[in-house]
């Protein structure tokens, strides 16, 4: 089963593997794995705090929103504060462990402690890169999905005021003829006027649209009421033309 970044078990397993690996690597030169265990346990909270603050606050709040300056600035501050805290933990840990008569911890061991801190930060950077890459891929998938949804939304494309206007078919209430122009009435925007003939438009529109009058094409999905002479769409009454009743009235009965 593929583990996801959002899965809490993934995080538990990740830090257990990191801690175990570091204990095995640094426990050997110190001659005692417990020494490495103490240092790693004390350093791990600082490293974990840095890791999660960077990946789950700075990245989504600044990097993914393309606020690069603020991301770089806060990332630098985070690194400085984290290093400062880690140095305090190292000093405290070394003094704490010295009380247990760890005389063998000479200069080489001190160097190993700083090497341990460095390696732990490398783990943070590598882990951060993987998490950040995962977040970027997920964000790109969301963008691609939205783009696909936009592409698959059926739309009426018109030219109005020398600009191309796209209106989803589901938003259109009715289309009104103005001689050689049409006026498209929809729910979520002002009426759009375009130089088109209503007869041509009636042939191009999908089946959910029906011409009820020489001046009107209605979206049958928006009809809220009707009688032998009128249809009602969102509180608007439109007349049914005489020559259209034979086609329109049977259709209205089936709605």
């Amino acid at each position: 089963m593929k583990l996801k970044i959002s899965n809490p078990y993934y995080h538990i397993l990740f830090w257990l593997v990191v801690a175990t690996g570091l204990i095995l690597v640094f426990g050997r030169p110190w001659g005692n794995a417990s020494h490495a265990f103490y240092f790693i346990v004390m350093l791990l909270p600082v490293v974990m705090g840095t890791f999660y603050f960077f990946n789950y606050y700075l990245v989504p709040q600044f990097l993914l929103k393309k606020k690069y300056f603020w991301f770089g600035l806060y990332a630098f501050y985070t690194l400085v504060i984290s290093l400062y805290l880690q140095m305090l933990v190292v000093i405290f840990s070394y003094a704490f462990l010295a009380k247990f008569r760890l005389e063998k911890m000479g200069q080489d061991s001190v160097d190993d402690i700083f090497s341990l801190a460095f390696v732990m930060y490398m783990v943070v950077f590598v882990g951060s890169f993987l998490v950040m890459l995962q977040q970027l891929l997920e964000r790109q998938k969301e963008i691609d999905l939205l783009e696909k949804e936009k592409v698959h939304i059926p739309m009426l494309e018109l030219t109005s005021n020398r600009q191309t206007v796209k209106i989803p078919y589901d938003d259109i209430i009715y289309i009104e003829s103005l001689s050689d122009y049409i006026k498209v009435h929809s729910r979520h925007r002002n009426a759009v006027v375009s130089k088109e003939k209503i007869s041509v438009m009636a042939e191009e529109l999908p089946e959910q649209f029906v011409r009820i009058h020489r001046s009107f094409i209605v979206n049958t999905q928006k009809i809220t009421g009707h009688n032998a002479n009128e249809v009602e769409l969102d509180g608007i009454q439109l007349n049914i033309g005489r020559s259209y009743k034979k086609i329109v009235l049977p259709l209205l009965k089936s709605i």
Side-chain angles (χ1 to χ4, degrees):
M1 184 180 72
K2 185 179 178 180
L3 292 172
K4 295 183 178 180
I5 296 298
S6 57
N7 191 331
Y9 295 106
Y10 172 86
H11 294 268
I12 295 172
L13 179 61
F14 173 77
W15 291 113
L16 284 176
V17 170
V18 169
T20 303
L22 292 174
I23 290 170
L24 293 175
V25 171
F26 286 91
R28 182 174 298 177
W30 290 355
N32 192 332
S34 63
H35 301 170
F37 172 78
Y38 290 135
F39 273 102
I40 290 169
V41 168
M42 293 181 181
L43 289 171
L44 202 57
V46 178
V47 175
M48 291 175 65
T50 304
F51 178 85
Y52 287 110
F53 181 77
F54 179 85
N55 288 291
Y56 294 96
Y57 182 75
L58 294 184
V59 171
Q61 291 295 323
F62 299 101
L63 182 62
L64 296 182
K65 294 180 179 179
K66 298 182 179 180
K67 298 178 181 179
Y68 301 120
F69 172 79
W70 294 109
F71 171 76
L73 181 64
Y74 289 133
F76 173 75
Y77 287 156
T78 300
L79 180 61
V80 170
I81 293 172
S82 181
L83 288 172
Y84 177 75
L85 291 174
Q86 195 172 66
M87 290 298 298
L88 291 178
V89 172
V90 168
I91 294 171
F92 172 79
S93 301
Y94 188 75
F96 176 77
L97 292 176
K99 294 180 181 180
F100 288 88
R101 299 181 180 179
L102 301 178
E103 293 86 357
K104 294 182 179 180
M105 295 182 66
Q107 183 62 40
D108 293 338
S109 296
V110 174
D111 293 338
D112 288 337
I113 292 171
F114 287 102
S115 298
L116 170 61
F118 175 78
V119 170
M120 292 183 77
Y121 265 100
M122 290 303 298
V123 170
V124 170
F125 292 141
V126 173
S128 296
F129 173 77
L130 295 176
V131 172
M132 187 166 55
L133 180 62
Q134 178 71 14
Q135 292 176 337
L136 290 172
L137 290 175
E138 289 178 355
R139 179 62 63 88
Q140 188 60 46
K141 287 181 180 179
E142 292 177 358
I143 294 173
D144 293 341
L145 182 60
L146 290 175
E147 290 296 329
K148 288 181 180 179
E149 290 178 352
K150 289 180 181 179
V151 170
H152 287 90
I153 294 176
M155 292 190 178
L156 175 64
E157 186 172 328
L158 300 168
T159 300
S160 179
N161 295 326
R162 299 182 181 180
Q163 293 182 343
T164 300
V165 179
K166 295 181 180 180
I167 308 172
Y169 287 132
D170 290 340
D171 287 350
I172 297 173
I173 301 173
Y174 70 98
I175 299 173
E176 181 182 2
S177 174
L178 303 174
S179 186
D180 290 336
Y181 290 80
I182 59 170
K183 191 174 186 179
V184 181
H185 301 266
S186 59
R187 282 185 172 179
H188 304 300
R189 64 187 307 157
N190 295 328
V192 175
V193 177
S194 178
K195 189 174 182 180
E196 297 281 352
K197 289 189 175 182
I198 196 169
S199 57
V200 175
M201 189 60 55
E203 295 178 359
E204 295 179 350
L205 289 169
E207 294 180 355
Q208 72 191 71
F209 292 90
V210 61
R211 190 173 183 180
I212 65 168
H213 191 279
R214 63 187 180 89
S215 298
F216 302 119
I217 297 174
V218 301
N219 185 347
T220 57
Q221 295 179 356
K222 306 299 182 184
I223 295 176
T224 55
H226 62 83
N227 55 42
N229 298 310
E230 294 179 335
V231 297
E232 182 177 345
L233 305 98
D234 287 358
I236 302 168
Q237 283 78 33
L238 299 176
N239 293 329
I240 301 174
R242 289 184 180 179
S243 60
Y244 293 89
K245 286 186 178 181
K246 290 183 179 180
I247 298 174
V248 174
L249 291 179
L251 180 63
L252 294 177
K253 290 180 181 180
S254 63
I255 296 176

